[in-house]
Amino acid sequence: MEQAHQWLQRIAECLHYPEHTSPSTDNVTDITQTPKLPLTSFQVQQEMEELLQQFVPDPPQNPAQFALKKKLQKLWYKYGTNLLHCYDIPGLPPDNLKIESLFSHKRRHQR
């Protein structure tokens, strides 16, 4: 299970998810800032496909990793390209947690 968790962390790094996404309102305006070296969806797609090729678990010895790889490959090839548009739009984060936090914060303060 620890190796499966490590692979999930590598996948998150490949997708360039923020390390710590907290619901604090201090950094709410950061979602509009673009990264110093913007990534493209093509770059992320290439990295992810390379990572999937490196991930070769042995089914009998590592059933959790094998199940993870099988499910991840299925989801990636089915939905992967549709999930990468955020890398081509400046200021749009790779996940929506900070945007949801911003809307939640505004909703609470408007009441």
Side-chain angles (χ1 to χ4, degrees), residues 52-86:
L52 285 173
Q53 289 176 359
Q54 293 172 10
F55 190 17
V56 185
D58 183 26
Q61 290 199 346
N62 301 314
Q65 291 91 327
F66 182 73
L68 173 65
K69 162 104 185 214
K70 187 175 177 182
K71 186 67 170 181
L72 180 61
Q73 268 187 321
K74 181 180 177 182
L75 291 172
W76 181 254
Y77 291 116
K78 192 171 185 178
Y79 302 111
T81 56
N82 294 328
L83 300 174
L84 300 177
H85 297 294
C86 61

Side-chain angles (χ1 to χ4, degrees), residues 14 24 33 36 54 59 64-65 87 89 92 94:
C14 180
S24 73
Q33 295 177 356
K36 292 179 183 177
Q54 293 172 10
Q65 291 91 327
Y87 298 98
I89 301 171
L92 193 62

Side-chain angles (χ1 to χ4, degrees), residues 11-25:
I11 291 165
E13 289 171 7
C14 180
L15 295 172
H16 301 273
Y17 285 162
E19 192 171 321
H20 300 288
T21 306
S22 64
S24 73
T25 57

